[in-house]
Structures are given as C-alpha cells and as structure tokens.
Amino acid sequence: MESMANPADEVLRLDRQLCFPLYAASNILTRAYRPLLDQLGLTYPQYLVLLVLWERAPRAVGEIGQQLFLDTGTLTPLLKRMEAAGLVSRQRDPEDERRVIVSLTAKGSDLREAARAIPAKMAGRMGTDPELSLCEAQTLHETVWKLIRSLNLAV
Amino acid sequence: MESMANPADEVLRLDRQLCFPLYAASNILTRAYRPLLDQLGLTYPQYLVLLVLWERAPRAVGEIGQQLFLDTGTLTPLLKRMEAAGLVSRQRDPEDERRVIVSLTAKGSDLREAARAIPAKMAGRMGTDPELSLCEAQTLHETVWKLIRSLNLAV
DNA sequence: TCAAATAATATTGTGGGCAATGTAAAATGC
DNA sequence: GCATTTTACATTGCCCACAATATTATTTGA
C-alpha cells in the first residue's frame, strides 16, 4: 500500500499540482472543440493557424510559430496537411529563399464565416452548473497569460 | 490583406480566446518539465501516472484514466513503455479478468525520492519577472478546476 | 440458463508536439 | 570576397491523444 508515509510527499499529491489541471484542461478543451471543428474539417491546432491567418495573411511559417508557441517540427507537416486540404498555399519567399510564405486560399478564407459561431458555442459549454463567471474567465485569461510569459522568460 | 473587415470577426481574434492560452500553457509547461524529467527517464504523462500510483497502488488502468482524464488508447501503450522501463508491472485481475492491475516496481517506487525536488524547481521558474503570486496561483488552480468540472458535465 | 447487454482493456489509424539533426540561403566579419 | 556564423525551414524518430473498432469477461434478464 503506497501512501503519504513521508510528509515531504505532500508536494507530490496530484491535487497540489498547478500544471496538471492546465494539462487536463487543454486536453478536455481540445476534445470539446472536436465535434464543432469536425464539421469544418479542422483539427484544433489547424483552427488556431486559421485564427492567426484570418487576422493577417500571408505570413511566414516562423511568424505563425511565434504566435502559437509551436516549432517547425510541428508546423511543417501540419501546414502541408492544410495545403492538401486546400485551405492554404505555401511558397518560398522570392525575397528570402529561406522563408516559406503561407497564404489563405479562397476556401480557407471563406471558412471564417462558419467559424464565427464557434466561440459562442464553446462559451455555452462553460456556462453550466459550476458556472464560470465572466469575471472569473477574464481573470483566468490574464493569469494564464502571465504564467506563459513567466515561463517563456525563464527559458 | 486579411483583417477585421467584419466586426463580427472580433470574436475570432486569437487574443480573445480563453482556450488558446490554456493550450499554449500546457505545451510550454510540458516543455519546461522536460529537462527535469529527462534526468529521471520520464515523460510528463508518465510522471503524472507515477504521481497517481505514489498516492495509491496498485490501481486498475481505468482508475488511472479517470484521475488523469485519459482513455485506454493513450494509457495502454504508455503503461507498456513504463513496464518496459521497469517502473510498473501490469497483470490481469484474477477477480475480474477484464481488469488490468498496475503495480509499482521497486524502481518505480524509489523514483519518488528523486521526484520530491521537482515541484520546488518548477515553482522557481514561475517566480520570475511577471511574478505569479501565491494568491494568483491558488486562484488559477481553483478556476481551472472549475472549468474542467464544467466542461466534463457538459459532455 | 443462456442470449443479449454491458464493461474493461487492447488495437488501429490519424494527427499532433518536440528534440535532434540536416540543408540551404542570407548575413557577418576579417 | 570568402569563410564563418546565423537564420529559416525540413526531416527523423519517439511519444502522446483520441475516435473508432475489436476482443474478452462479466452482468442482466427473460
């Protein structure tokens, strides 16, 4: 029978970890998005890439990676799948042949219409029983961003 | 040039999303754990499984999945890798042959000693410039858990 | 009692996520 | 001007994460 024989092990209790709920919430949120995004033929990271491109396109791969905190090992194959799906096009920058410019196709651009309904639908799912107030959501948003900045500086 | 031509697109701005910072924080945290866990030969999800087992072992696969919000498609191969690494053993429950009981080996149990230092080291990384106060961390912990419960009920 | 339903885990296939490494182009510096 | 360094992206290999499906064991109920 394993248990808290040593009081020093209190720090190892799952419910004392800050990182675990963030990890779990990320997985659960991605799962919650899936039925909505399936209808658009998107995965959650692909949806994030479109959010970035809908704000400004075209963009270099590196810029997208900076916005989303993802490296090229993740983005290159992901963008290729999006290209195969006809959502974006990828071409070398003639000004600087090291860079790859990602542009929206008409299909990728048009998808924004259908995507407008998603944030409200997701918000609806968080407004049930243990209701997350608007204020709490706001504070959560700010604190998580603060955590992100803190961790990024430390590295 | 894509941009906010339609004011309805405000809801699609990346910096308006609640889910994105949670997704990014989860990735960045896992990255931050890596150098610490590498020394123990663990990945972050494997570390979580050990946290669960250090609290109480042996446990059925399903119990571990419930604690961590992971399904067997994730856990079965992960536990097999942990078994191959000599950290746990897996055996069918003779009482109910459908269940698989996961136990800690001496090696898996002993790893707890070395793991005790990890939470403090991680806390140190969050205590830099845009410092996350203890109070903020506490509130963050509670709010994320509230979000998790809310999303889990909705599904 | 035994077929149907249910439960627990395993398998398959797809798509991330990232460290380490490779490749080629541009910038730097002497 | 040319070697060195740096930058940007691609590739490889390993490990998640999960939907869909399969497999085997238990439970249920007529």
Side-chain angles (χ1 to χ4, degrees), chain A:
Chain A
M1 170 65 185
E2 307 290 329
S3 88
M4 297 297 125
N6 186 332
D9 289 334
E10 283 291 322
V11 297
L12 292 179
R13 287 173 51 127
L14 189 66
D15 59 11
R16 293 274 297 258
Q17 309 302 312
L18 175 55
C19 32
F20 169 62
L22 290 165
Y23 163 84
S26 175
N27 288 341
I28 293 169
L29 274 167
T30 301
R31 234 173 286 163
Y33 268 99
R34 197 181 309 268
L36 303 179
L37 293 176
D38 272 351
Q39 301 172 28
L40 310 188
L42 295 173
T43 64
Y44 183 66
Q46 289 172 11
Y47 170 69
L48 291 179
V49 168
L50 286 182
L51 288 185
V52 167
L53 291 176
W54 286 332
E55 285 187 29
R56 184 159 48 81
R59 298 251 218 172
V61 173
E63 290 178 72
I64 299 172
Q66 256 186 326
Q67 293 281 308
L68 301 180
F69 304 96
L70 295 174
D71 71 0
T72 70
T74 301
L75 281 175
T76 297
L78 190 153
L79 289 168
K80 283 183 177 176
R81 283 187 291 269
M82 292 183 76
E83 186 178 39
L87 298 169
V88 302
S89 65
R90 305 179 323 127
Q91 48 236 315
R92 288 277 162 190
D93 184 349
E95 306 281 302
D96 180 344
E97 292 277 349
R98 292 170 305 180
R99 290 156 56 88
V100 167
I101 303 296
V102 182
S103 312
L104 281 167
T105 62
K107 182 178 175 187
S109 193
D110 291 350
L111 217 52
R112 180 155 54 162
E113 306 282 336
R116 284 197 189 105
I118 291 183
K121 283 184 188 167
M122 281 302 298
R125 303 206 172 192
M126 302 182 204
T128 41
D129 186 18
E131 177 155 10
L132 211 66
S133 73
L134 218 60
C135 171
E136 282 176 310
Q138 182 72 25
T139 305
L140 178 58
H141 188 275
E142 284 164 15
T143 313
V144 177
W145 268 111
K146 202 166 172 180
L147 175 63
I148 290 173
R149 284 192 297 273
S150 172
L151 283 168
N152 258 13
L153 286 184
V155 177

Side-chain angles (χ1 to χ4, degrees), chain A residues 3-4 8-25, chain B residues 33 44-56 59 63-70 75 112 119 141-142 144-145 148:
Chain A
S3 88
M4 297 297 125
D9 289 334
E10 283 291 322
V11 297
L12 292 179
R13 287 173 51 127
L14 189 66
D15 59 11
R16 293 274 297 258
Q17 309 302 312
L18 175 55
C19 32
F20 169 62
L22 290 165
Y23 163 84
Chain B
Y33 268 99
Y44 183 65
Q46 289 172 8
Y47 171 68
L48 291 179
V49 167
L50 286 182
L51 288 185
V52 167
L53 291 176
W54 286 331
E55 285 186 27
R56 183 159 49 80
R59 299 250 217 172
E63 290 177 73
I64 299 172
Q66 255 185 327
Q67 294 280 310
L68 301 181
F69 304 96
L70 295 173
L75 280 175
R112 181 153 55 163
H141 188 275
E142 284 164 15
V144 177
W145 267 111
I148 289 173

